[in-house]
Amino acid sequence: MRITGRKKNLFKLSSGEYVAPEPIENALKASIYIQESVVFGESQRLAGALIVPSFAALEAFANDNGIPCEPHSTLVQNPLVQQLYRKELDRLTAPFAEQEKIRVFLLLDREFTIEAGELTPTEKVKRSPVLETYAEQIASLYGRGDSGTTSGG
């Protein structure tokens, strides 16, 4: 295994395999539908991601498919939107090892902000504060018996 990214951000799945989140997050940002992502899965069976949609692209998709765009909290829960992101995640993580594929995800209904402490002044994501903010929603992803996709903010 070759490790890329920051060592302090590595996490270990319950299977004992390590995952470096940065290469996965960078791959996810290649999608026109994904503005930001935070990959997680420490001590879990599967890797997951918090996804901040690129709302301009998502709203265009919604308009093309007759989906109401407002409020964003409803938009990100729409089954067609969930399906779109599932396909994007599968496509973008296809080259990665099995343990690095995103199996559960949470679509957020707002962007990360500096004011909320989620971004640095240079607009880089602050991993720890974001994971703390969404800890309850992340835990619920792993508590479910289905595919684990959900949304909220």
Side-chain angles (χ1 to χ4, degrees), residues 40-139:
F40 55 82
E42 177 68 41
S43 301
Q44 298 294 338
R45 202 169 50 82
L46 308 166
L50 294 172
I51 304 291
V52 175
S54 174
F55 284 105
L58 179 54
E59 287 172 6
F61 170 85
N63 287 329
D64 290 347
N65 289 278
I67 302 167
C69 294
E70 294 293 332
H72 283 164
S73 58
T74 302
L75 174 61
V76 298
Q77 292 178 27
N78 182 283
L80 285 177
V81 170
Q82 290 281 320
Q83 185 178 35
L84 168 70
Y85 279 87
R86 176 75 272 159
K87 286 180 181 174
E88 282 294 281
L89 293 171
D90 291 346
R91 177 180 70 82
L92 295 164
T93 61
F96 289 91
E98 278 306 304
Q99 73 270 15
E100 296 172 314
K101 294 184 189 305
I102 301 302
R103 303 297 184 190
V104 295
F105 67 98
L106 178 69
L107 276 182
L108 303 182
D109 59 10
R110 67 173 183 81
E111 297 175 357
F112 294 143
T113 65
I114 294 170
E115 297 75 25
E118 299 158 334
L119 296 175
T120 67
T122 57
E123 299 196 351
K124 290 190 172 79
V125 175
K126 291 180 166 181
R127 178 176 303 283
S128 293
V130 167
L131 292 176
E132 286 174 27
T133 298
Y134 293 98
E136 194 172 304
Q137 292 96 322
I138 290 169

Side-chain angles (χ1 to χ4, degrees), residues 4-79:
T4 56
R6 300 183 69 184
K7 183 179 177 183
K8 76 176 206 165
N9 291 335
L10 273 180
F11 61 85
K12 188 176 182 181
L13 297 173
S14 61
S15 63
E17 295 167 304
Y18 285 91
V19 175
E22 288 94 341
I24 304 165
E25 292 165 353
N26 290 335
L28 297 181
K29 284 197 254 183
S31 170
I32 63 166
Y33 297 108
I34 298 175
Q35 179 177 317
E36 290 291 347
S37 65
V38 177
V39 174
F40 55 82
E42 177 68 41
S43 301
Q44 298 294 338
R45 202 169 50 82
L46 308 166
L50 294 172
I51 304 291
V52 175
S54 174
F55 284 105
L58 179 54
E59 287 172 6
F61 170 85
N63 287 329
D64 290 347
N65 289 278
I67 302 167
C69 294
E70 294 293 332
H72 283 164
S73 58
T74 302
L75 174 61
V76 298
Q77 292 178 27
N78 182 283

